[in-house]
Amino acid sequence: MKTISDLNAIKAKVIDKIYPKNPGEKRIVVGLATCGISAGAQPVYDEIVKAVKELGLDGVSVVATGCVGICQYEPIVEVFESGGKRVTYVSMTPEKARRVVQEHIAGGVPVLEYTVANTKL
Amino acid sequence: MDNTSILSTRFYGGQKRVALRNCGIIDPENIDEYIAVDGYQALAKVLTQMTPQQVVDEITKSGLRGRGGGGFPTGRKWQFAMGGEPGTQKYVVCNADEGDPGAFMDRSVLEGDPHSVIEAMAIAGYAIGASEGYIYVRAEYPVAVKRLELAIKSAREYGFLGKNIFGSGFNFDIQLRLGAGAFVCGEETALLTSIEGKRGEPRPRPPYPAVKGLFGCPTIINNVETLACVAQIINKGADWFASMGTEKSKGTKVFALGGKITNTGLIEVPMGTTLREVIYDIGGGIPGGKQFKAAQTGGPSGGCIPKEHLDAPIDYENLSAIGCIMGSGGMIVMDEDNCMVDIAKFFLGFTVDESCGKCTPCRVGTKRMLEMLDKITSGNGEMEDLKRLEELANYVKSCSLCGLGQTAPNPVLSTLRFFRDEYIAHIVEKRCPAGVCKDLLRFTIDRDKCIGCGMCSKVCPSNAIYVTDYTAPGRRKPSYAIDPEKCIKCGACRDTCKFGAIEKK
């Protein structure tokens, strides 16, 4: 059974995983609610996990999350980095996702054409 | 701000996320991530620092009202269920039987942040003195069900559900119940009857569930989105929550924005945001340069907000003043191509299918109303029908047993109020202004625009298009024409014609 101090300890440990603090750490979240899944987010997620593993990237976590709310741009992939940086990729496919892992996650340069900047949102 | 982030968009900029705060951020299957974003802190706080009455007072002070549609003050509901003999069996029930067509607010919360609902139920349990809770969720939401099961399991492992939570001596546990697809089970008394293992039918109120609910015991029943606000109210304070919204409607509201709108999606805005902001700023306007006609809120129980109310702040009071309801949050945007009589018919058709049949006004009344609408949209209506329709609608509204029947006439009454001219056009001119009602449509070929290529006649599934003996000046081939007797009004010819020669009237 957890106590309140356990709660605080877990909080202190995990919060930096959700919003990475150290430069170089990245968190990739894939919207895998019903809406994302029906738009094809599962193969996107699988491809990201595979690509991260193949490239042997350290400090990168890949996480399935819920719905961020922009239905017609599913599948959505977001990258959280240190300094509160957040990049939102929309209408993703496994091919696009691999390129994001190669160029953004490994290379450090976001793939602008796939981001929300390229939409009318 | 960097324009590669969703936070920089107009879609996101006008939003304020309370119930959806963690959706799309945390891993819903990992309880540690919920804890990292202050999860279960509110439960710890109420169990160690607050009395049940203080919890209820805080919720009351926040101004939180039921997000499932009714808008009843949550704190007052909890207050009703307090007290009684010590040791009285009581229940906390979460209504996750989201059934309005086009609504998916609750599904998103359950799939993206299930622990927020579990934590809130435990808080509610402590407040009213209940040790058991039920979540009644639709079986049509398999992902939500799976994540809830997992979340309940993890919460038990961590001791946030079960015996002696946080060493306080408070016990609480939750069970899931899956709905079998009946819309009426979203109505609270029908939902409770269904949990009891009986046929999902409503029963008269009073007694209200807070007095005599599940298995005859005092029960509070709250909607998913309502519960998703509770932990934050405890953590951040009632004043924080009450600082958002309008005088009588506090906090935020989630809407599932759909229909003729550029950005469909799930949005959460402070109460009091205008429809214009929702549609033109967040929603990005109507696609194709079309004119906005109305927004339908509240699904089959709701009504339409017409153009003249675009600038009214959206809250419980303003919506009910125009014969509409907040509802659970479905918002369907309609443009000039939507026929309002057809919309009313669609929603009424839904309630006719979903009426449980227990009370006559709803079972028979809605059916007779639908028949009148059918008569009008097929071109056989008389002006007298409008009077009859309105009269019957008001009877169904005032005499039905439960919320389903009491609100079923709303789509009809609301469209009659704001779009009566469309009903009249159907009846008097035998014309559907938006060109939707098939029986009133006629497809014709402009013989001078037709070049005689014959493509339309090839795609016509009912062989209704034939060659005439008229050749327009300057054309080499004779033009085609449509036999109205054979035409099934599918529109295939019009979609195929590259010369715009086929008109729909």
Side-chain angles (χ1 to χ4, degrees), chain A residues 1-4 6-19 27 29 31-37 62-73 76 78 80 84-89 110 112 115-121, chain B residues 2-12 17 22-28 32-41 44-45 48 104 107-108 111-112 143-144 147 157-160 163-167 261-267 282:
Chain A
M1 193 173 72
K2 303 287 177 194
T3 62
I4 295 174
D6 291 338
L7 263 191
N8 292 329
I10 294 171
K11 184 181 163 188
K13 199 178 88 191
V14 181
I15 191 68
D16 293 346
K17 288 188 179 156
I18 298 176
Y19 298 104
R27 173 176 160 106
V29 305
L32 274 169
T34 297
C35 40
I37 295 168
V62 187
V63 170
T65 179
C67 160
V68 82
I70 37 177
C71 306
Q72 89 260 40
Y73 291 104
I76 314 268
E78 291 199 274
F80 290 81
K85 203 164 178 285
R86 177 172 176 180
V87 176
T88 310
Y89 291 104
L112 290 179
T115 67
V116 75
N118 212 14
T119 68
K120 286 184 185 147
L121 274 172
Chain B
D2 188 352
N3 67 349
T4 55
S5 161
I6 188 172
L7 302 176
S8 69
T9 59
R10 279 177 84 191
F11 175 80
Y12 215 86
R17 299 206 153 200
N22 296 326
C23 292
I25 306 285
I26 63 165
D27 177 355
D32 286 351
E33 294 208 350
Y34 180 66
I35 293 171
V37 291
D38 289 334
Y40 291 105
Q41 294 277 353
K45 184 175 168 186
T48 55
F104 49 93
R107 192 192 69 206
S108 280
E111 291 180 351
V143 179
R147 289 187 186 160
E157 281 167 12
Y158 274 49
F160 304 147
K163 299 252 181 279
N164 195 20
I165 301 169
F166 287 115
I261 184 96
T262 306
N263 305 327
T264 52
L266 197 69
I267 63 162
I282 298 171

Side-chain angles (χ1 to χ4, degrees), chain B residues 9-139:
Chain B
T9 59
R10 279 177 84 191
F11 175 80
Y12 215 86
Q15 297 194 46
K16 174 96 188 141
R17 299 206 153 200
V18 176
L20 299 177
R21 65 195 179 276
N22 296 326
C23 292
I25 306 285
I26 63 165
D27 177 355
E29 301 193 359
N30 183 345
I31 190 170
D32 286 351
E33 294 208 350
Y34 180 66
I35 293 171
V37 291
D38 289 334
Y40 291 105
Q41 294 277 353
L43 180 60
K45 184 175 168 186
V46 303
L47 292 184
T48 55
Q49 299 169 27
M50 295 170 84
T51 64
Q53 187 60 55
Q54 283 173 326
V55 176
V56 173
D57 289 346
E58 193 72 4
I59 299 298
T60 305
K61 198 172 136 205
S62 75
L64 178 64
R65 293 169 64 174
R67 298 294 193 245
F72 191 82
T74 307
R76 254 173 62 205
K77 193 184 263 189
W78 291 14
Q79 185 75 54
F80 288 145
M82 288 185 80
E85 293 291 310
T88 307
Q89 177 71 50
K90 295 178 186 175
Y91 296 98
V92 174
V93 174
C94 168
N95 184 346
D97 193 46
E98 185 173 53
D100 286 0
F104 49 93
M105 298 74 56
D106 297 347
R107 192 192 69 206
S108 280
V109 172
L110 296 174
E111 291 180 351
D113 196 15
H115 285 285
S116 67
V117 173
I118 292 169
E119 183 180 7
M121 286 178 72
I123 292 171
Y126 173 71
I128 68 159
S131 59
E132 283 181 53
Y134 286 90
I135 301 176
Y136 189 91
V137 57
R138 333 174 57 187

Side-chain angles (χ1 to χ4, degrees), chain B residues 322-333:
Chain B
I322 57 172
C324 204
I325 65 164
M326 177 77 77
S328 60
M331 185 181 279
I332 299 163
V333 180

Side-chain angles (χ1 to χ4, degrees), chain A residues 44-58:
Chain A
V44 171
Y45 175 83
D46 296 343
E47 186 69 16
I48 293 175
V49 171
K50 207 170 119 196
V52 167
K53 207 172 160 192
E54 279 172 15
L55 295 172
L57 300 173
D58 283 333

Side-chain angles (χ1 to χ4, degrees), chain B residues 332-350:
Chain B
I332 299 163
V333 180
M334 287 167 289
D335 69 6
E336 54 196 281
D337 292 338
N338 288 102
C339 167
M340 301 313 282
V341 186
D342 185 64
I343 295 286
K345 204 173 89 175
F346 167 79
F347 282 115
L348 199 62
F350 180 87

